Amino acid sequence: MSAKKDEETGLGSYYNNKTTILQEARVFNESPISPRKCRALLTRIVYLLYLGETFSAQEATTLFFGTTKLFQHKDSALRQMVYLSIKELANTAEDIIMVTSSIQKDTQPNLEVIYRPNAIRALCRIIDAIAPSMVQAVERFYKTAIVDKSPSISSAALVSAYHLFPVSRDVIKRWVNEAQEAVNAKATSSFFSGSSSSNYLGFSASAPPSPGYQAVPSTSFITQYHALGLLYLIRQQDRMAVTKMIQQLGGGKSGAGTTLKNPMALCMLIRYAAKVLDEDPNVQKQMLELLEGWLRHKSDMVNYEAARVICEMKNVTPQQLIRPVAVLQLFLSSTKPTLKFASIRTLSALALTQPAAVSNCNLDMENLITDSNRSIATYAITTLLKTGNEASVDRLMKQISGFMSEISDEFKVIVVDAIRSLCLKFPAKQALMLGFLAGVLRDEGGYDFKRAVVEAIFDMIKFIEDCKEAALGHLCEFIEDCEFTKLSVRILHLLGIEGPKTPQPTKYIRYIYNRVVLENAIVRAAAVSSLAKFGVNVVDVAVKRSIGVLLSRCLDDSDDEVRDRATMYLRVMKEPPLAETYVKDESVFSLAALESKLVAYVKDADASNQPFDTTSLPKISREQARQESARPSALETIHTLVPQKSAQSAYAKQLQAVPELASYGPVLNSSAKPIPLTESETEYVVSCVKHIFKEHIVFQFNVSNTLPDTLLERTSVIMQPSGDAGLTEDSIIPIPLSVQPNHPGILYVSFTRDKPEEYATASFQCTLKFISKEVDPSSGEPEEDGYEDEYQLEEVELGGGGDYIVPTYVTFASEWEKMKGAANATETFALSAMESIKAACDSIIEILNMEALGGTEIPSSTAVHTLNLAGLVVGGVGKVLVRARMTFVRGQGVTLELGVRAEKEEACNLVIAAIAG
Amino acid sequence: MFLFSALYSFFSRLFFSKTAEITIVGLQASGKTSFVNVIGSGQWSEDVVPTVAFNLRRVRQGNVTLKVWDVAGQPKFRNMWDRYCRGVDAIVFVVDSHDKDTLPIAKFELHSLLDCAPLNGVPLLVLGNKNDLPGHASIGELIHALDLDKIHNRPVSCYSCSMKSQHNLDIVMKWLSSRAS
């Protein structure tokens, strides 16, 4: 062992020394050149670069010019090495233009040398680095090289084209026919490969071949892989073309008709198919047929790839999973570790969402538990934990604790995640799991691992009432000796929330105060906040008094944040009303809204004269905030809870980019979701987003054209308001360029609000106007003449809640009392069409776009119900509260008494009008 | 007899052959590539394609083998001259003696090349090419215009010659052969 180590370090220091290499680079200048020495040195340079060593521009340039001198030697092995180093050095060295002519000499088609492919590959790096315009100059050369009969040359040219694509998109796009030929042509060369090799033998008997160059017929068909990559790169923007390519190359239902012989190329094709499948549900059936055909392919790699893609498909049905899982099951008993690993990993991921489908493999996975490869064993156990039943848990847990110390942190995280979802699944086993988690918490481990364990315990505290005390105890012990500040802070926060609710809160206070004595400033500050929560929330007066003593000790702390917090909380504890706002308040600002408002505030130079206005921000409860920020835990992925993302800031950015709208000021509100104005399957798909500004209203229309081979030019939308809406149309900002198939364009129609203090409501007749032009499929150029066309869209409604009101969170009872003296209105409506209280609640919430508070959106009785709502009116008008009292009598529908209280009169009217309208 | 002469030439090559590595620099279109062509194959041609980067030629002259780096003279390549001049046995600087307007630039480039410390002591040969054309600069004018008399840290020679008429090329070759070791 020690000898091996010596050898390694010896080798390492020999190779790793950049300075020695730079000195030894003198051999490049020697005369005559020694190819052996130079090759060894080049190998060391390349080795260093591959290890991640970097050379400065000057060093690289010196080495680079050294290597250019080696072009004088004809030794082909040396020349290949020279090309390898040039490729690596070309990124950092200067003046690399010097080698262009030397390289081009080596790429000449009539040259039968082994290093011609190397030269081609090096050439693309040089072109890339010096002048993109040179691509055009070498276009003809590359086009012929791509269809060269030698696979290595063809591959080299294809790979070069792939690298040059970002530099010179348009030129490379013209090479699509050659690439297509490269994918197909090799099928015939395989047909001849047997005869050509005998031919080659006969040739060598009669005349000696040129030294160093042998046209070896390829059996791997790797060229197909490279050509496919290039074809996809060229076509990736065009989904139709990609789909067509997959169907062409996939070779029909059984997959037997495919021209692709290279398994890697097929794997690529499968991945492209997966991408198409993901984006376009319409082709699902055809793609699935292809994928199932590939499950029977003779290469393991292809089988695995197809199985994986089906397993990872969205909304996959158990029926569709049977065959891919069977394929993976077969691999589980394979002798190759890679196959075993790949399939168990896929199954493990699948077990998260479809444990039933995976449980068929339980027997095979049991065998893998004892596999000598720990990674495979870990996956096997965690998968079994997900698929297994309660009885097997004990045994598996014992197995896994046996080798927890032997696996890397990443796998430990996987294990912990599995256990986290397991204890939520089998709460009866919580004692065992908690014991295990507490045990691994004491083990050595990095931050990610410790965080996973702590979060798992957090989850248990949240969802399993029985384990709360024991879990808190374990966490207390953990922070006694925790090196991660972030985790300490989180645990202290949790102790502050959960601790006061336990029967013996004093137990935790000792642990928390220890932190104040022993830890760094950040943890001390968190501990002070946590203590204060005990002081406020615990009923026992003795505890309150001792907390007061502890906090006053913190007043002498060396850190000002800690002192500030202690001072504040001491005051808060003495004055209960303050405690309501600062400790017990359950509402927080919506972070996404706060962020976008702050960004707008910082960017606007005039705004800094006034303080930042927080009253216009919507509030949400802590529970919602947690849901928004929580990473999707194992549990949530099962229930597929999609967090609602705020699109607001994205819209704000888009609008700012339009010069005509820049003077309108900040956006007050944008509709949460685009409203579709057409059916989703029509020729033109249009959706509308409304943006409310202080004095303007802007309608944003997203227009996409689903017809292939047509362009829409001068697209605009004519909006006809019904009646007098109090809005004046100022401009239509049409889509500047043409709308190409599958590339949506955006246009805006702007209105001025005649009386900005009023809330204009109207509905608009909309018509899409455009000039339609056909595209010549062969040249890709649109025809000269188009014809004008119109397309009737559905009506756009302005008004009601969604446009002027955003939901916010308040403590309803106290706010309602507080606004007693403010503007209010009460009105009674008979909603005879409503079938139940529940239906009425849902539609009121939807119309008003306000937050239902205290769980009142779910009626407890079918006859009488009170719904409490809160919202924020845009434009700094402030809060509006709604109390909707409903009674339901069969046959008469719902009778609604709507009580509205708001900070301003107009807001009341707006709400009443929204329900009345 | 045949065997003997073959043996003789083999041994003479083994014992008496000499090699020299020289680098040819100078402004563009001064006749560097023509010079290499003429001493290499004796052929002169009116149109020579401007060199990109460099060419390497091997020239045999009697028992002397010359390895010749012919470096491009366009402005963007001039800062790379010194890289090809390091460790050579001689630097040949070719000037177009007929185009007197470019002499100040040639002087500047020559002196900034010679200021490179690694090139100290490397012998320099200045060729005033194109002396077949009327109105070319004489040796004296060249020495004066290029400040050759101010170079002290190396042997310097200056010949007027013509690649087209091959005038003076024999003494140039003699000078180069004497650098071989």
Side-chain angles (χ1 to χ4, degrees), chain A residues 343-370:
Chain A
S343 53
I344 191 76
R345 200 175 123 181
T346 309
L347 287 173
S348 168
L350 183 66
L352 269 182
T353 49
Q354 304 261 12
V358 182
S359 57
N360 286 341
C361 313
N362 276 1
L363 214 63
D364 300 84
M365 289 193 283
E366 293 272 354
N367 295 333
L368 291 182
I369 292 178
T370 49

PDB file of all heavy atoms in Angstrom, chain A residues 343-370:
ATOM      1  N   SER A 343     -29.843   0.746 -13.470  1.00  0.00           N
ATOM      2  CA  SER A 343     -31.245   0.356 -13.371  1.00  0.00           C
ATOM      3  C   SER A 343     -31.774   0.564 -11.956  1.00  0.00           C
ATOM      4  O   SER A 343     -32.903   1.003 -11.781  1.00  0.00           O
ATOM      5  CB  SER A 343     -31.440  -1.086 -13.830  1.00  0.00           C
ATOM      6  OG  SER A 343     -30.567  -1.917 -13.123  1.00  0.00           O
ATOM      7  N   ILE A 344     -30.950   0.290 -10.945  1.00  0.00           N
ATOM      8  CA  ILE A 344     -31.457   0.470  -9.579  1.00  0.00           C
ATOM      9  C   ILE A 344     -31.678   1.945  -9.311  1.00  0.00           C
ATOM     10  O   ILE A 344     -32.611   2.337  -8.612  1.00  0.00           O
ATOM     11  CB  ILE A 344     -30.508  -0.170  -8.537  1.00  0.00           C
ATOM     12  CG1 ILE A 344     -31.171  -0.203  -7.167  1.00  0.00           C
ATOM     13  CG2 ILE A 344     -29.217   0.566  -8.405  1.00  0.00           C
ATOM     14  CD1 ILE A 344     -32.202  -1.232  -7.000  1.00  0.00           C
ATOM     15  N   ARG A 345     -30.845   2.790  -9.914  1.00  0.00           N
ATOM     16  CA  ARG A 345     -31.018   4.218  -9.701  1.00  0.00           C
ATOM     17  C   ARG A 345     -32.326   4.703 -10.322  1.00  0.00           C
ATOM     18  O   ARG A 345     -33.065   5.490  -9.728  1.00  0.00           O
ATOM     19  CB  ARG A 345     -29.843   4.968 -10.327  1.00  0.00           C
ATOM     20  CG  ARG A 345     -29.698   6.330  -9.759  1.00  0.00           C
ATOM     21  CD  ARG A 345     -28.482   6.977 -10.292  1.00  0.00           C
ATOM     22  NE  ARG A 345     -28.882   8.214 -10.924  1.00  0.00           N
ATOM     23  CZ  ARG A 345     -28.054   9.030 -11.509  1.00  0.00           C
ATOM     24  NH1 ARG A 345     -26.787   8.766 -11.569  1.00  0.00           N
ATOM     25  NH2 ARG A 345     -28.482  10.118 -12.059  1.00  0.00           N
ATOM     26  N   THR A 346     -32.595   4.233 -11.530  1.00  0.00           N
ATOM     27  CA  THR A 346     -33.849   4.618 -12.178  1.00  0.00           C
ATOM     28  C   THR A 346     -35.046   4.117 -11.384  1.00  0.00           C
ATOM     29  O   THR A 346     -36.020   4.836 -11.176  1.00  0.00           O
ATOM     30  CB  THR A 346     -33.891   4.047 -13.602  1.00  0.00           C
ATOM     31  OG1 THR A 346     -32.693   4.397 -14.252  1.00  0.00           O
ATOM     32  CG2 THR A 346     -35.069   4.564 -14.359  1.00  0.00           C
ATOM     33  N   LEU A 347     -34.947   2.867 -10.928  1.00  0.00           N
ATOM     34  CA  LEU A 347     -36.061   2.306 -10.158  1.00  0.00           C
ATOM     35  C   LEU A 347     -36.261   3.089  -8.869  1.00  0.00           C
ATOM     36  O   LEU A 347     -37.388   3.317  -8.437  1.00  0.00           O
ATOM     37  CB  LEU A 347     -35.775   0.836  -9.841  1.00  0.00           C
ATOM     38  CG  LEU A 347     -35.897  -0.114 -11.035  1.00  0.00           C
ATOM     39  CD1 LEU A 347     -35.426  -1.496 -10.667  1.00  0.00           C
ATOM     40  CD2 LEU A 347     -37.338  -0.168 -11.518  1.00  0.00           C
ATOM     41  N   SER A 348     -35.162   3.493  -8.272  1.00  0.00           N
ATOM     42  CA  SER A 348     -35.263   4.236  -7.019  1.00  0.00           C
ATOM     43  C   SER A 348     -36.018   5.535  -7.233  1.00  0.00           C
ATOM     44  O   SER A 348     -36.862   5.919  -6.426  1.00  0.00           O
ATOM     45  CB  SER A 348     -33.863   4.503  -6.485  1.00  0.00           C
ATOM     46  OG  SER A 348     -33.895   5.425  -5.464  1.00  0.00           O
ATOM     47  N   ALA A 349     -35.708   6.224  -8.340  1.00  0.00           N
ATOM     48  CA  ALA A 349     -36.407   7.480  -8.635  1.00  0.00           C
ATOM     49  C   ALA A 349     -37.877   7.200  -8.930  1.00  0.00           C
ATOM     50  O   ALA A 349     -38.761   7.954  -8.524  1.00  0.00           O
ATOM     51  CB  ALA A 349     -35.762   8.169  -9.821  1.00  0.00           C
ATOM     52  N   LEU A 350     -38.125   6.114  -9.637  1.00  0.00           N
ATOM     53  CA  LEU A 350     -39.501   5.770 -10.003  1.00  0.00           C
ATOM     54  C   LEU A 350     -40.312   5.413  -8.764  1.00  0.00           C
ATOM     55  O   LEU A 350     -41.500   5.711  -8.674  1.00  0.00           O
ATOM     56  CB  LEU A 350     -39.481   4.608 -10.997  1.00  0.00           C
ATOM     57  CG  LEU A 350     -40.832   4.165 -11.543  1.00  0.00           C
ATOM     58  CD1 LEU A 350     -41.423   5.255 -12.394  1.00  0.00           C
ATOM     59  CD2 LEU A 350     -40.695   2.891 -12.337  1.00  0.00           C
ATOM     60  N   ALA A 351     -39.635   4.795  -7.777  1.00  0.00           N
ATOM     61  CA  ALA A 351     -40.334   4.345  -6.573  1.00  0.00           C
ATOM     62  C   ALA A 351     -40.945   5.510  -5.812  1.00  0.00           C
ATOM     63  O   ALA A 351     -41.904   5.338  -5.079  1.00  0.00           O
ATOM     64  CB  ALA A 351     -39.381   3.568  -5.678  1.00  0.00           C
ATOM     65  N   LEU A 352     -40.387   6.701  -6.003  1.00  0.00           N
ATOM     66  CA  LEU A 352     -40.942   7.881  -5.342  1.00  0.00           C
ATOM     67  C   LEU A 352     -42.382   8.115  -5.762  1.00  0.00           C
ATOM     68  O   LEU A 352     -43.222   8.480  -4.956  1.00  0.00           O
ATOM     69  CB  LEU A 352     -40.123   9.116  -5.703  1.00  0.00           C
ATOM     70  CG  LEU A 352     -38.968   9.484  -4.800  1.00  0.00           C
ATOM     71  CD1 LEU A 352     -38.341  10.759  -5.304  1.00  0.00           C
ATOM     72  CD2 LEU A 352     -39.462   9.666  -3.383  1.00  0.00           C
ATOM     73  N   THR A 353     -42.638   7.965  -7.068  1.00  0.00           N
ATOM     74  CA  THR A 353     -43.965   8.287  -7.569  1.00  0.00           C
ATOM     75  C   THR A 353     -44.829   7.044  -7.787  1.00  0.00           C
ATOM     76  O   THR A 353     -46.033   7.116  -7.665  1.00  0.00           O
ATOM     77  CB  THR A 353     -43.861   9.057  -8.891  1.00  0.00           C
ATOM     78  OG1 THR A 353     -42.958   8.345  -9.735  1.00  0.00           O
ATOM     79  CG2 THR A 353     -43.338  10.447  -8.651  1.00  0.00           C
ATOM     80  N   GLN A 354     -44.204   5.945  -8.159  1.00  0.00           N
ATOM     81  CA  GLN A 354     -44.989   4.750  -8.485  1.00  0.00           C
ATOM     82  C   GLN A 354     -44.444   3.543  -7.733  1.00  0.00           C
ATOM     83  O   GLN A 354     -43.904   2.611  -8.337  1.00  0.00           O
ATOM     84  CB  GLN A 354     -44.899   4.463  -9.990  1.00  0.00           C
ATOM     85  CG  GLN A 354     -45.323   5.606 -10.859  1.00  0.00           C
ATOM     86  CD  GLN A 354     -46.728   5.452 -11.360  1.00  0.00           C
ATOM     87  OE1 GLN A 354     -47.465   4.592 -10.884  1.00  0.00           O
ATOM     88  NE2 GLN A 354     -47.128   6.267 -12.310  1.00  0.00           N
ATOM     89  N   PRO A 355     -44.584   3.516  -6.413  1.00  0.00           N
ATOM     90  CA  PRO A 355     -43.993   2.394  -5.678  1.00  0.00           C
ATOM     91  C   PRO A 355     -44.586   1.053  -6.096  1.00  0.00           C
ATOM     92  O   PRO A 355     -43.872   0.049  -6.107  1.00  0.00           O
ATOM     93  CB  PRO A 355     -44.310   2.710  -4.220  1.00  0.00           C
ATOM     94  CG  PRO A 355     -45.172   3.900  -4.212  1.00  0.00           C
ATOM     95  CD  PRO A 355     -45.235   4.477  -5.563  1.00  0.00           C
ATOM     96  N   ALA A 356     -45.854   1.058  -6.493  1.00  0.00           N
ATOM     97  CA  ALA A 356     -46.485  -0.217  -6.826  1.00  0.00           C
ATOM     98  C   ALA A 356     -45.831  -0.861  -8.034  1.00  0.00           C
ATOM     99  O   ALA A 356     -45.638  -2.079  -8.088  1.00  0.00           O
ATOM    100  CB  ALA A 356     -47.967  -0.005  -7.085  1.00  0.00           C
ATOM    101  N   ALA A 357     -45.466  -0.026  -9.023  1.00  0.00           N
ATOM    102  CA  ALA A 357     -44.875  -0.567 -10.242  1.00  0.00           C
ATOM    103  C   ALA A 357     -43.524  -1.194  -9.955  1.00  0.00           C
ATOM    104  O   ALA A 357     -43.114  -2.162 -10.608  1.00  0.00           O
ATOM    105  CB  ALA A 357     -44.739   0.525 -11.283  1.00  0.00           C
ATOM    106  N   VAL A 358     -42.811  -0.644  -8.985  1.00  0.00           N
ATOM    107  CA  VAL A 358     -41.458  -1.121  -8.719  1.00  0.00           C
ATOM    108  C   VAL A 358     -41.470  -2.354  -7.821  1.00  0.00           C
ATOM    109  O   VAL A 358     -40.537  -3.148  -7.830  1.00  0.00           O
ATOM    110  CB  VAL A 358     -40.627   0.009  -8.080  1.00  0.00           C
ATOM    111  CG1 VAL A 358     -39.212  -0.428  -7.831  1.00  0.00           C
ATOM    112  CG2 VAL A 358     -40.627   1.222  -8.988  1.00  0.00           C
ATOM    113  N   SER A 359     -42.574  -2.525  -7.072  1.00  0.00           N
ATOM    114  CA  SER A 359     -42.552  -3.588  -6.064  1.00  0.00           C
ATOM    115  C   SER A 359     -42.379  -4.974  -6.680  1.00  0.00           C
ATOM    116  O   SER A 359     -41.989  -5.910  -5.993  1.00  0.00           O
ATOM    117  CB  SER A 359     -43.814  -3.534  -5.210  1.00  0.00           C
ATOM    118  OG  SER A 359     -44.927  -3.629  -6.049  1.00  0.00           O
ATOM    119  N   ASN A 360     -42.631  -5.115  -7.989  1.00  0.00           N
ATOM    120  CA  ASN A 360     -42.374  -6.394  -8.653  1.00  0.00           C
ATOM    121  C   ASN A 360     -40.923  -6.823  -8.531  1.00  0.00           C
ATOM    122  O   ASN A 360     -40.596  -7.994  -8.564  1.00  0.00           O
ATOM    123  CB  ASN A 360     -42.700  -6.293 -10.155  1.00  0.00           C
ATOM    124  CG  ASN A 360     -44.192  -6.268 -10.362  1.00  0.00           C
ATOM    125  OD1 ASN A 360     -44.935  -6.660  -9.473  1.00  0.00           O
ATOM    126  ND2 ASN A 360     -44.622  -5.808 -11.520  1.00  0.00           N
ATOM    127  N   CYS A 361     -40.033  -5.824  -8.458  1.00  0.00           N
ATOM    128  CA  CYS A 361     -38.603  -6.121  -8.457  1.00  0.00           C
ATOM    129  C   CYS A 361     -38.072  -6.364  -7.051  1.00  0.00           C
ATOM    130  O   CYS A 361     -36.872  -6.541  -6.874  1.00  0.00           O
ATOM    131  CB  CYS A 361     -37.805  -4.985  -9.075  1.00  0.00           C
ATOM    132  SG  CYS A 361     -38.467  -4.386 -10.598  1.00  0.00           S
ATOM    133  N   ASN A 362     -38.948  -6.362  -6.056  1.00  0.00           N
ATOM    134  CA  ASN A 362     -38.479  -6.455  -4.684  1.00  0.00           C
ATOM    135  C   ASN A 362     -37.502  -7.610  -4.458  1.00  0.00           C
ATOM    136  O   ASN A 362     -36.483  -7.442  -3.784  1.00  0.00           O
ATOM    137  CB  ASN A 362     -39.671  -6.605  -3.729  1.00  0.00           C
ATOM    138  CG  ASN A 362     -40.255  -5.258  -3.391  1.00  0.00           C
ATOM    139  OD1 ASN A 362     -39.772  -4.249  -3.894  1.00  0.00           O
ATOM    140  ND2 ASN A 362     -41.282  -5.220  -2.569  1.00  0.00           N
ATOM    141  N   LEU A 363     -37.819  -8.748  -5.037  1.00  0.00           N
ATOM    142  CA  LEU A 363     -36.995  -9.924  -4.799  1.00  0.00           C
ATOM    143  C   LEU A 363     -35.573  -9.715  -5.306  1.00  0.00           C
ATOM    144  O   LEU A 363     -34.590 -10.023  -4.625  1.00  0.00           O
ATOM    145  CB  LEU A 363     -37.645 -11.126  -5.499  1.00  0.00           C
ATOM    146  CG  LEU A 363     -37.469 -12.442  -4.769  1.00  0.00           C
ATOM    147  CD1 LEU A 363     -38.145 -12.389  -3.411  1.00  0.00           C
ATOM    148  CD2 LEU A 363     -38.037 -13.567  -5.609  1.00  0.00           C
ATOM    149  N   ASP A 364     -35.474  -9.142  -6.517  1.00  0.00           N
ATOM    150  CA  ASP A 364     -34.142  -8.904  -7.089  1.00  0.00           C
ATOM    151  C   ASP A 364     -33.385  -7.875  -6.281  1.00  0.00           C
ATOM    152  O   ASP A 364     -32.173  -7.962  -6.120  1.00  0.00           O
ATOM    153  CB  ASP A 364     -34.281  -8.422  -8.533  1.00  0.00           C
ATOM    154  CG  ASP A 364     -34.988  -9.432  -9.388  1.00  0.00           C
ATOM    155  OD1 ASP A 364     -36.239  -9.435  -9.377  1.00  0.00           O
ATOM    156  OD2 ASP A 364     -34.296 -10.216 -10.037  1.00  0.00           O
ATOM    157  N   MET A 365     -34.114  -6.892  -5.769  1.00  0.00           N
ATOM    158  CA  MET A 365     -33.439  -5.841  -5.012  1.00  0.00           C
ATOM    159  C   MET A 365     -32.942  -6.385  -3.678  1.00  0.00           C
ATOM    160  O   MET A 365     -31.896  -5.985  -3.196  1.00  0.00           O
ATOM    161  CB  MET A 365     -34.386  -4.659  -4.806  1.00  0.00           C
ATOM    162  CG  MET A 365     -34.628  -3.911  -6.111  1.00  0.00           C
ATOM    163  SD  MET A 365     -35.422  -2.332  -5.880  1.00  0.00           S
ATOM    164  CE  MET A 365     -37.092  -2.813  -5.591  1.00  0.00           C
ATOM    165  N   GLU A 366     -33.683  -7.314  -3.099  1.00  0.00           N
ATOM    166  CA  GLU A 366     -33.232  -7.941  -1.855  1.00  0.00           C
ATOM    167  C   GLU A 366     -31.832  -8.526  -2.043  1.00  0.00           C
ATOM    168  O   GLU A 366     -30.974  -8.422  -1.173  1.00  0.00           O
ATOM    169  CB  GLU A 366     -34.191  -9.080  -1.448  1.00  0.00           C
ATOM    170  CG  GLU A 366     -35.575  -8.618  -1.060  1.00  0.00           C
ATOM    171  CD  GLU A 366     -35.690  -8.269   0.413  1.00  0.00           C
ATOM    172  OE1 GLU A 366     -34.712  -8.500   1.146  1.00  0.00           O
ATOM    173  OE2 GLU A 366     -36.743  -7.753   0.813  1.00  0.00           O
ATOM    174  N   ASN A 367     -31.630  -9.137  -3.203  1.00  0.00           N
ATOM    175  CA  ASN A 367     -30.312  -9.743  -3.462  1.00  0.00           C
ATOM    176  C   ASN A 367     -29.213  -8.701  -3.549  1.00  0.00           C
ATOM    177  O   ASN A 367     -28.052  -8.986  -3.284  1.00  0.00           O
ATOM    178  CB  ASN A 367     -30.347 -10.539  -4.775  1.00  0.00           C
ATOM    179  CG  ASN A 367     -31.275 -11.716  -4.674  1.00  0.00           C
ATOM    180  OD1 ASN A 367     -31.496 -12.233  -3.574  1.00  0.00           O
ATOM    181  ND2 ASN A 367     -31.833 -12.140  -5.792  1.00  0.00           N
ATOM    182  N   LEU A 368     -29.597  -7.507  -3.965  1.00  0.00           N
ATOM    183  CA  LEU A 368     -28.577  -6.469  -4.161  1.00  0.00           C
ATOM    184  C   LEU A 368     -28.160  -5.813  -2.840  1.00  0.00           C
ATOM    185  O   LEU A 368     -27.170  -5.096  -2.796  1.00  0.00           O
ATOM    186  CB  LEU A 368     -29.099  -5.393  -5.111  1.00  0.00           C
ATOM    187  CG  LEU A 368     -29.275  -5.827  -6.560  1.00  0.00           C
ATOM    188  CD1 LEU A 368     -29.755  -4.660  -7.389  1.00  0.00           C
ATOM    189  CD2 LEU A 368     -27.978  -6.365  -7.122  1.00  0.00           C
ATOM    190  N   ILE A 369     -28.920  -6.045  -1.785  1.00  0.00           N
ATOM    191  CA  ILE A 369     -28.592  -5.399  -0.505  1.00  0.00           C
ATOM    192  C   ILE A 369     -27.175  -5.753  -0.081  1.00  0.00           C
ATOM    193  O   ILE A 369     -26.455  -4.924   0.472  1.00  0.00           O
ATOM    194  CB  ILE A 369     -29.600  -5.830   0.583  1.00  0.00           C
ATOM    195  CG1 ILE A 369     -30.969  -5.255   0.254  1.00  0.00           C
ATOM    196  CG2 ILE A 369     -29.159  -5.369   1.951  1.00  0.00           C
ATOM    197  CD1 ILE A 369     -32.027  -5.664   1.221  1.00  0.00           C
ATOM    198  N   THR A 370     -26.794  -6.964  -0.367  1.00  0.00           N
ATOM    199  CA  THR A 370     -25.460  -7.396   0.068  1.00  0.00           C
ATOM    200  C   THR A 370     -24.423  -7.198  -1.030  1.00  0.00           C
ATOM    201  O   THR A 370     -23.319  -7.716  -0.937  1.00  0.00           O
ATOM    202  CB  THR A 370     -25.503  -8.870   0.465  1.00  0.00           C
ATOM    203  OG1 THR A 370     -26.158  -9.588  -0.572  1.00  0.00           O
ATOM    204  CG2 THR A 370     -26.253  -9.060   1.761  1.00  0.00           C
TER     205      THR A 370
END
